[in-house]
Amino acid sequence: MGEGNDSGKVLEIHTADIKLTAPVFHVQAKNLSAALTTLVTTLDGLGSPWGDDEQGKTFGDAYSPRQKAVEKAAGTLVLGLTSIHQAMADMSDGHVDNDELIAGMFTKVKEKVDADGKGAK
């Protein structure tokens, strides 16, 4: 697309590419989930290292809600990557099934011949 070479195809889907790419999303979801777990356990293990003086409390009041927001956003990304993996796998399977269905619609039907050698109606 965009190179001036119009093959006349509206959409070209390579199911093999989809099947190869889909697991990448699963792997990256697992990697992000592990990183998120490390982040949360490390930060929780630190407690409130900024102290309880006025400056520490000001920092903690600003930091803590943002920490939870980052953790929640990363969790949403993990779910998103996992759902992309599943959707790509389903799309690939559905595309193959659809191709087979369409191919069956356009396959020439052989005429049945009855006992007297004439075409059946």
Side-chain angles (χ1 to χ4, degrees):
M1 289 182 82
E3 297 155 345
N5 299 328
D6 184 10
S7 67
K9 293 183 180 180
V10 176
L11 180 62
E12 186 173 349
I13 296 174
H14 299 276
T15 54
D17 291 344
I18 294 171
K19 285 183 183 272
L20 286 173
T21 304
V24 173
F25 288 92
H26 178 68
V27 169
Q28 295 307 326
K30 286 174 47 178
N31 291 342
L32 182 57
S33 180
L36 177 59
T37 299
T38 300
L39 175 69
V40 170
T41 56
T42 301
L43 292 176
D44 286 350
L46 293 173
S48 301
W50 43 82
D52 61 355
D53 61 354
E54 184 180 337
Q55 196 173 17
K57 287 181 183 181
T58 302
F59 176 82
D61 291 345
Y63 174 77
S64 294
R66 287 174 179 82
Q67 174 190 349
K68 297 302 176 196
V70 167
E71 292 171 4
K72 183 177 178 184
T76 300
L77 287 173
V78 169
L79 294 174
L81 289 171
T82 301
S83 67
I84 290 170
H85 164 251
Q86 187 60 49
M88 288 181 78
D90 290 347
M91 181 176 66
S92 176
D93 292 343
H95 186 70
V96 169
D97 292 344
N98 190 49
D99 278 354
E100 290 171 358
L101 176 66
I102 291 170
M105 293 172 144
F106 292 101
T107 301
K108 187 174 182 177
V109 178
K110 293 182 181 179
E111 184 177 333
K112 292 184 180 181
V113 178
D114 59 16
D116 62 357
K118 297 181 181 177
K121 292 185 182 184

